Amino acid sequence: MKMIHDFSPEILNLNTIDEARQAMQDIHCTDAGIKIMQDKALFKVIKLYDVNSKAANILKQTFLSKGGEVAISRHCADLSKETSDVIIMATIYQYKRAIPVLKMQPWKLKQIAEILTTMIKEV
């Protein structure tokens, strides 16, 4: 296995907005740049249980359109099961773009939007 010596690569595990801001301040980003990028630096995975399969399909489509992803049961495609657990994978920026769309949708997606809003405020 070849060792990587150039550029001293490091994986950053950023869990909060403050950690993201600090990492960017450490490399001397401008305050304006940090404000633009801070929500893009945090990737959060959220699992929801027993989501209506129709809602799960809309959730997936909404996040895909914003650059995120949602893992859903294969049964959502043919609606052969009423509910599915879902795993949402997105940056805070993508959550903030998806939430207003979800608030306008049926099948308790407004409630899911409220839950996601609360969860991303905690970072």
Side-chain angles (χ1 to χ4, degrees):
M1 185 182 303
K2 183 178 178 184
M3 294 295 293
I4 301 173
H5 297 285
D6 293 339
F7 311 111
S8 303
E10 174 185 3
I11 294 174
L12 299 179
N13 292 309
L14 305 174
N15 295 305
T16 67
I17 292 289
D18 288 340
E19 289 175 0
R21 279 191 207 116
Q22 186 60 55
M24 288 184 260
Q25 287 171 348
D26 290 348
I27 63 166
H28 309 286
C29 286
T30 65
D31 289 342
I34 291 170
K35 187 173 182 177
I36 291 167
M37 294 181 284
Q38 66 189 12
D39 289 342
K40 297 175 183 179
L42 298 178
F43 186 82
K44 295 296 174 194
V45 179
I46 297 174
K47 184 174 181 179
L48 302 172
Y49 297 86
D50 297 319
V51 175
N52 176 288
S53 290
K54 293 174 187 175
N57 286 325
I58 292 173
L59 199 60
K60 183 171 184 78
Q61 292 169 4
T62 302
F63 273 90
L64 284 173
S65 75
K66 307 305 179 201
E69 180 62 273
V70 178
I72 61 177
S73 166
R74 66 176 181 231
H75 301 290
C76 291
D78 63 5
L79 302 175
S80 61
K81 290 194 177 180
E82 190 173 324
T83 65
S84 173
D85 295 346
V86 301
I87 300 172
I88 306 169
M89 300 162 271
T91 65
I92 299 303
Y93 177 77
Q94 292 161 339
Y95 279 101
K96 287 181 176 180
R97 291 181 62 218
I99 286 169
V101 176
L102 298 175
K103 287 181 178 180
M104 298 183 293
Q105 302 298 326
W107 302 300
K108 295 189 177 182
L109 283 162
K110 183 177 181 179
Q111 182 181 352
I112 289 172
E114 292 169 5
I115 290 167
L116 297 177
T117 298
T118 300
M119 293 186 80
I120 66 170
K121 280 184 180 176
E122 295 174 0
V123 295

